[in-house]
Amino acid sequence: MDKTIEKIVSLCKRRGFIFQSSDIYGGFSAVYDYGPLGIELKNNISQLWWKEMTQAHENIVGLDSGILMHPKIWEASGHVGAFNDPLVDCKQCKSRYRADEFSEDHASIDWQDTQCPKCGTTGNLTEPRQFNLMFKTHAGPVEETGTEAFLRPETAQGIYVNYQLVQGAMRMKIPFGIAQIGKAFRNEIIARNFIFRTREFEQMEMQYFVKPGTDDDIMKDWKEKRLEFYFEKLGISTDKLRFHEHDDSELAHYAKEAWDIEYDFPFGWSEVEGIHNRTDYDLSRHEEFSGKNLTYFDQPNNDRFLPYIIETSAGLNRMLLTVLADAYWEDEDNNRTVMKFHPRLAPIKAVICPLLKKDGLPEKAREVMEILKPHFKVIYDQQGSIGKRYYRQDEAGTPFGITVDHQSLEDDSITLRNRDTMEQDRISIDQLLNYINDSI
Ligand code: GAP
């Protein structure tokens, strides 16, 4: 099977998962809209993450901070000064590149002697210029100095500047964590590979506040826990995930140690989530810029210190792309394409089909619908042959197909089709809810 990103993009549009933004105006680069199935899938993933990070850990609580914040925060965090990508232009064909696309070690490249990958000419590439990735805007009705604000490029800073308020309100004792899901914005120079790198995206970040000296062990712990989440909760293939450690040239300005969880996408191994030891860099910078004391008092040990932070930072959209890429399967034997989502993630859990549009079968099918509808997303479909109805739902990743036939009227049973094996079992309607619930 040749699994390409183009095939996934096409299925996503056809089945209502993901559309290019502003489609009727010719599109808006590097922004995507999530259709009916896309939003269900995205919600299922983010709810799993939220449950895993907050409900399953007594010492992690949630937060929802603003996208717009005091502009000084971005000076303190280093984003105003250091959140740059090196940008290279071709004077001939006007193509634009990130310098690190040519080589990680782009400082040693002779640009005058380098060929433009698009037009093939040599001598037309400019020296790299630093390009800040933050989106600027103005707060208030008048655009003047002092009103400039930024759309946040990461959700993390909203957690750092609220950490003492959260700690005090919830009487948290170190080690403790704060989790947040929210939009982030980066004016990416090159946005490609569908929803992998976009200008507007969502992050799911958890910042874990720890005592300095305990950070290395806690980092190891979180690495294991986060990888397990992909296998155990999302059901991603074990051979498609790996760790990549950042060397000195890759480390972000705030990190002492950083590991990426990478997935083997159709376009190669790429980062889905980062686990970073940010030390006390962020809190010490916010102390410096705000003039506030951000230390933590450890009462039992009569000890005061600035906590270290272990961060787990995942892109919700990239995690969704991981789930899509992993689920995509061309079943050549049966001439169909199937999204093999774990039933827990599937946007629609079951399709309910009356075999015919007459003889009381639609009414019986509606009864089944009413039983299941309060518990999870199910749909009703009586359009076209039963085979066509099932194949449509195979592409949508719906794990169960329920058919109501004449026997259903006699003994209250239905046939339940398994999406992956296409096997059908006869089961009674009153067992149906438990059956599907068990699979989720
Ligand atoms: N707070 C740390 C931080 O933001 P990052 O490695 O820059 O670290 C974390 O980003 C995660 O956010 C990445 O692993 C990725 O999943 C997601 N991400 C970053 N930039 C993105 C973009 N332009 N489009 C989609 N997801 C992005």
Side-chain angles (χ1 to χ4, degrees), residues 238-347:
T238 44
D239 59 334
K240 292 273 191 177
L241 286 163
R242 71 177 188 195
F243 274 118
H244 163 75
E245 185 175 14
H246 284 212
D247 62 27
D248 287 347
S249 71
E250 294 168 282
L251 272 182
H253 59 276
Y254 50 72
K256 161 181 150 183
E257 183 186 354
W259 293 81
D260 292 340
I261 294 177
E262 293 186 334
Y263 180 75
D264 187 10
F265 288 102
F267 45 84
W269 287 95
S270 306
E271 170 190 352
V272 182
E273 171 162 351
I275 299 131
H276 313 131
N277 182 343
R278 296 181 73 131
T279 68
D280 60 1
Y281 175 85
D282 300 274
L283 291 184
S284 63
R285 294 277 293 182
H286 287 305
E287 271 202 330
E288 189 187 330
F289 280 71
S290 68
K292 295 275 170 6
N293 179 348
L294 296 179
T295 51
Y296 168 86
F297 184 56
D298 175 6
Q299 213 160 20
N301 297 311
N302 197 23
D303 191 11
R304 186 172 279 285
F305 56 86
L306 208 53
Y308 268 31
I309 292 166
I310 305 299
E311 165 184 72
T312 74
S313 175
L316 173 53
N317 316 73
R318 268 192 209 177
M319 204 181 273
L320 189 140
L321 185 59
T322 307
V323 168
L324 287 169
D326 211 62
Y328 186 92
W329 173 48
E330 287 171 2
D331 176 6
E332 280 150 14
D333 293 344
N334 296 296
N335 195 23
R336 62 181 188 143
T337 304
V338 185
M339 295 304 275
K340 282 173 99 170
F341 300 127
H342 189 292
R344 190 185 294 132
L345 295 179

Side-chain angles (χ1 to χ4, degrees), residues 79 83 153-157 160 185-186 188 190-191 195-205 207 246 252 254 260-261 271-274 276 278 311-319:
H79 284 84
F83 196 50
E154 61 171 8
T155 58
Q157 299 300 327
Y160 304 148
F185 301 83
R186 297 184 188 178
E188 299 284 358
I190 309 285
I195 55 168
F196 181 80
R197 190 183 300 285
T198 51
R199 299 205 166 103
E200 176 178 340
F201 56 99
E202 276 169 86
Q203 286 188 317
M204 302 187 289
E205 298 200 301
Q207 312 295 325
H246 284 212
Y254 50 72
D260 292 340
I261 294 177
E271 170 190 352
V272 182
E273 171 162 351
H276 313 131
R278 296 181 73 131
E311 165 184 72
T312 74
S313 175
L316 173 53
N317 316 73
R318 268 192 209 177
M319 204 181 273

Side-chain angles (χ1 to χ4, degrees), residues 87-126:
L87 168 76
V88 172
D89 282 309
C90 174
K91 287 183 274 187
Q92 178 68 26
C93 69
K94 312 291 177 222
S95 294
R96 187 154 270 186
Y97 304 98
R98 268 174 33 187
D100 56 13
E101 286 187 285
F102 290 82
S103 158
E104 284 291 343
D105 180 24
H106 53 86
S108 58
I109 293 179
D110 178 353
W111 295 97
Q112 278 306 299
D113 201 27
T114 304
Q115 208 180 27
C116 169
K118 180 136 183 246
C119 67
T121 60
T122 302
N124 283 315
L125 294 178
T126 61

Side-chain angles (χ1 to χ4, degrees), residues 31-34 39 42 64-69 74 150-156 180-186 198-205 316-317:
V31 183
Y32 288 89
D33 297 340
Y34 290 78
I39 181 62
K42 188 146 75 80
D64 184 17
S65 67
I67 287 172
L68 295 173
M69 295 194 278
W74 304 112
F150 298 97
L151 302 188
R152 66 180 175 198
E154 61 171 8
T155 58
Q180 168 158 236
I181 301 178
K183 290 256 177 174
F185 301 83
R186 297 184 188 178
T198 51
R199 299 205 166 103
E200 176 178 340
F201 56 99
E202 276 169 86
Q203 286 188 317
M204 302 187 289
E205 298 200 301
L316 173 53
N317 316 73

Side-chain angles (χ1 to χ4, degrees), residues 4 11 48 82 97 171 174 179 202 233-234 237 241 251 260 291 321 338 348 358 388 414:
T4 63
L11 182 142
L48 261 186
Y97 304 98
R171 294 176 292 118
I174 267 180
E202 276 169 86
K233 297 291 184 320
L234 301 181
S237 323
L241 286 163
L251 272 182
D260 292 340
L321 185 59
V338 185
I348 301 166
K358 55 181 189 181
K388 278 210 179 109
I414 47 85

Side-chain angles (χ1 to χ4, degrees), residues 71-82:
K72 256 192 161 179
I73 287 173
W74 304 112
E75 281 177 50
S77 69
H79 284 84
V80 169

